C-alpha cells in the first residue's frame, strides 16, 4: 500500500469548458473575431505545429523496464532510492532480483491502479503486452521471470507474523510520524506537497487531505476512535525489537543465503528513517532503529549491495 492519497493533486490545468452563446449570430465566419484581428489573421494565417515530443521521462521506446515511483527528478536521474517505503520496497526487490530498470517520478493519480509503484516493461513491437502496466502486487512474479538473480523464498509460516508487524505497527507509527507529527510538517511538505503546486491555497488543501487520509488509515487499522501517539510508538518499538531478535547475528532475515523480499520490506523503513538526507525533526522512530545495531547493519548491507557507491 502506498502513502495516503490526496485528490487535490489531480486538479487539472486544462482550461475551463467554453459555453457557446445560444443566441443566433447574424453573421458568420471571421466576425466572431474583432475585425482588425481578422484582417491580421487573413494576412498571416495561423499555422498548426506538430505535437511536442514526449519528455525524456516518458520515452515512447523503452530499452529497459520503467518503474514509476515517488522520487524527485534529481534522484531519479541518479537512480537513488525512493523516499516512499512502498515504492522503495519494490525498487529494492527488483534490484535484488537483477531486473534492469529505470525509475521515473510519478504520483498515485498517474497509476492505472491508483497507487505507486507500477512498472512498464521494455517496449517490444511484437509484444502488445509490453505496454500494459504491471501493478505492485505482480512485481514479484515479474522479477521471477525477468530477473537474473534468484531471490530466496521465506517459509510463509515464519513470514506471516513478522510481516504483520511491519504492515501495522511500523507502518502506523510511520504514518503518524510523517503525516501527523507537527514537528515533521516541513519534511512532509517537501516530499508530498511542494512539488505539486506553488499555490499556498492548494498546498494547504493537499496538506490537510494527506493528514486526514493518514489519520483515517491509522484509526481504521487500530479500530479506535482516536490516535494515541504514545501507543503507536510503543508498538513500533516492540516491532523493531522483534525484528532485531529474529535477525540475530544473521546477515539476512530467517537465515536465507541472500536477501529476500522480506529484507527489502524491512529496509524500506529502516533506510528512510536513517537516511540523513531526510530532515526528520521528530526522530522518535530513527532513535528506535538505532537502538538495534543489527538492524542498522542490515540496512547498510542492502544499501551497499543495491546502490554501491551511490549510497
Amino acid at each position: 500500500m502506498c502513502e495516503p492519497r490526496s485528490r487535490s493533486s489531480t486538479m487539472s490545468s486544462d482550461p475551463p469548458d467554453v459555453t457557446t452563446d445560444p443566441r443566433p449570430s447574424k453573421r458568420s465566419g471571421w466576425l466572431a473575431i474583432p475585425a482588425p484581428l481578422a484582417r491580421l489573421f487573413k494576412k498571416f494565417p495561423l499555422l498548426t505545429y506538430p505535437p511536442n515530443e514526449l519528455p525524456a521521462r516518458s520515452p515512447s521506446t523503452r530499452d529497459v523496464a520503467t518503474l514509476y515511483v515517488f522520487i524527485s527528478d534529481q534522484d531519479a536521474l541518479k537512480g537513488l532510492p525512493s523516499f516512499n517505503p512502498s515504492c522503495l520496497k519494490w525498487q529494492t526487490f527488483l534490484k535484488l532480483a537483477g531486473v534492469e530498470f529505470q525509475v521515473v517520478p510519478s504520483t498515485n493519480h498517474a497509476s492505472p491502479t491508483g497507487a505507486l509503484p507500477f512498472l512498464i516493461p521494455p517496449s517490444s513491437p511484437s509484444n502488445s503486452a509490453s505496454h500494459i502496466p504491471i501493478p505492485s502486487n505482480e512485481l514479484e512474479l515479474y522479477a521471477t521471470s525477468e530477473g537474473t538473480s534468484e531471490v530466496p523464498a521465506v517459509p510463509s509460516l515464519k513470514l506471516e507474523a513478522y510481516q504483520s508487524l511491519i504492515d501495522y505497527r511500523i507502518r502506523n507509527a510511520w504514518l503518524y510520524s510523517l503525516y501527523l507529527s507537527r514537528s515533521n510538517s516541513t519534511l512532509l511538505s517537501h516530499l508530498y506537497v511542494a512539488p505539486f503546486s506553488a499555490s499556498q491555497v492548494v498546498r494547504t488543501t493537499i496538506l490537510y487531505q494527506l493528514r486526514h487520509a493518514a489519520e483515517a488509515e491509522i484509526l481504521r487499522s487500530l479500530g479506535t476512535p482516536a490516535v494515541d501517539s504514545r501507543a503507536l510508538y510503543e508498538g513500533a518499538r516492540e516491532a523493531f525489537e522483534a525484528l532485531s531478535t529474529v535477525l540475530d547475528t544473521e546477515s539476512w532475515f530467517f537465515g536465507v543465503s541472500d536477501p529476500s523480499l522480506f529484507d527489502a520490506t524491512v529496509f524500506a523503513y529502516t533506510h528512510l528513517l536513517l537516511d540523513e538526507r531526510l530532515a526528520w525533526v521528530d526522530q522518535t522512530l530513527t532513535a528506535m532503529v538505532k537502538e538495534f545495531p543489527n538492524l542498522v547493519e542490515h540496512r547498510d548491507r542492502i544499501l551497499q549491495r543495491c546502490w554501491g557507491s551511490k549510497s
Side-chain angles (χ1 to χ4, degrees), residues 3-107:
E3 298 304 277
R5 302 192 290 274
S6 167
R7 292 191 176 276
S8 56
S9 60
T10 63
M11 298 178 72
S12 174
S13 60
D14 293 338
D17 292 337
V18 178
T19 302
T20 305
D21 189 341
R23 293 172 297 180
S25 174
K26 295 181 180 179
R27 304 174 68 179
S28 61
W30 285 106
L31 291 183
I33 302 175
L37 285 180
R39 290 193 294 271
L40 178 63
F41 288 145
K42 285 181 178 179
K43 189 173 183 179
F44 299 101
L46 292 176
L47 295 178
T48 301
Y49 290 94
N52 292 329
E53 294 181 0
L54 289 172
R57 68 162 60 177
S58 301
S60 57
T61 301
R62 302 177 305 278
D63 295 327
V64 298
T66 302
L67 184 69
Y68 291 81
V69 299
F70 285 109
I71 193 171
S72 69
D73 291 338
Q74 296 81 1
D75 285 357
L77 290 173
K78 298 175 183 177
L80 294 177
S82 166
F83 56 74
N84 174 278
S86 298
C87 293
L88 181 55
K89 166 186 172 179
W90 291 108
Q91 184 184 5
T92 303
F93 178 72
L94 291 175
K95 281 181 169 288
L96 293 174
V99 175
E100 186 179 2
F101 67 96
Q102 62 181 339
V103 291
V104 168
S106 189
T107 67

Side-chain angles (χ1 to χ4, degrees), residues 25-309:
S25 174
K26 295 181 180 179
R27 304 174 68 179
S28 61
W30 285 106
L31 291 183
I33 302 175
L37 285 180
R39 290 193 294 271
L40 178 63
F41 288 145
K42 285 181 178 179
K43 189 173 183 179
F44 299 101
L46 292 176
L47 295 178
T48 301
Y49 290 94
N52 292 329
E53 294 181 0
L54 289 172
R57 68 162 60 177
S58 301
S60 57
T61 301
R62 302 177 305 278
D63 295 327
V64 298
T66 302
L67 184 69
Y68 291 81
V69 299
F70 285 109
I71 193 171
S72 69
D73 291 338
Q74 296 81 1
D75 285 357
L77 290 173
K78 298 175 183 177
L80 294 177
S82 166
F83 56 74
N84 174 278
S86 298
C87 293
L88 181 55
K89 166 186 172 179
W90 291 108
Q91 184 184 5
T92 303
F93 178 72
L94 291 175
K95 281 181 169 288
L96 293 174
V99 175
E100 186 179 2
F101 67 96
Q102 62 181 339
V103 291
V104 168
S106 189
T107 67
N108 283 324
H109 304 287
S111 170
T113 62
L116 295 180
F118 69 94
L119 181 140
I120 304 291
S123 59
S124 171
S126 61
N127 184 8
S128 59
S130 66
H131 299 285
I132 299 176
I134 299 175
S136 60
N137 63 355
E138 296 178 13
L139 287 177
E140 186 174 7
L141 181 61
Y142 177 84
T144 301
S145 63
E146 301 297 330
T148 59
S149 301
E150 183 177 353
V151 178
V154 176
S156 58
L157 291 179
K158 289 185 177 181
L159 183 63
E160 186 174 351
Y162 291 98
Q163 184 68 50
S164 67
L165 293 178
I166 301 174
D167 292 342
Y168 295 99
R169 293 195 179 194
I170 292 177
R171 175 166 173 77
N172 284 340
W174 166 275
L175 290 175
Y176 176 83
S177 181
L178 180 58
Y179 291 87
L180 301 183
S181 174
R182 298 292 172 172
S183 300
N184 289 326
S185 293
T186 300
L187 177 59
L188 173 62
S189 296
H190 172 70
L191 297 178
Y192 290 106
V193 179
F196 300 109
S197 177
S199 166
Q200 188 57 47
V201 174
V202 174
R203 288 184 176 186
T204 300
T205 302
I206 295 175
L207 190 61
Y208 169 80
Q209 292 181 343
L210 286 173
R211 285 177 169 153
H212 178 74
E215 182 179 30
E217 182 174 334
I218 294 172
L219 294 177
R220 184 168 57 251
S221 172
L222 298 177
T224 58
V227 174
D228 183 342
S229 61
R230 179 178 298 181
L232 289 174
Y233 283 141
E234 287 178 354
R237 192 192 181 286
E238 291 173 357
F240 283 125
E241 183 175 17
L243 291 172
S244 174
T245 299
V246 73
L247 178 61
D248 199 19
T249 59
E250 300 284 353
S251 294
W252 315 115
F253 281 94
F254 309 115
V256 294
S257 58
D258 289 295
S260 67
L261 177 58
F262 186 82
D263 289 278
T265 305
V266 175
F267 170 80
Y269 284 99
T270 56
H271 171 66
L272 294 178
L273 291 171
L274 296 172
D275 188 354
E276 295 180 353
R277 298 183 309 148
L278 298 182
W280 294 100
V281 176
D282 177 356
Q283 296 198 0
T284 305
L285 291 177
T286 300
M288 285 180 194
V289 175
K290 290 181 177 180
E291 288 182 38
F292 306 103
N294 61 342
L295 294 183
V296 176
E297 292 165 2
H298 175 268
R299 172 260 190 174
D300 293 343
R301 278 192 293 272
I302 291 190
L303 185 62
Q304 180 61 35
R305 187 172 182 132
C306 293
W307 280 273
S309 59

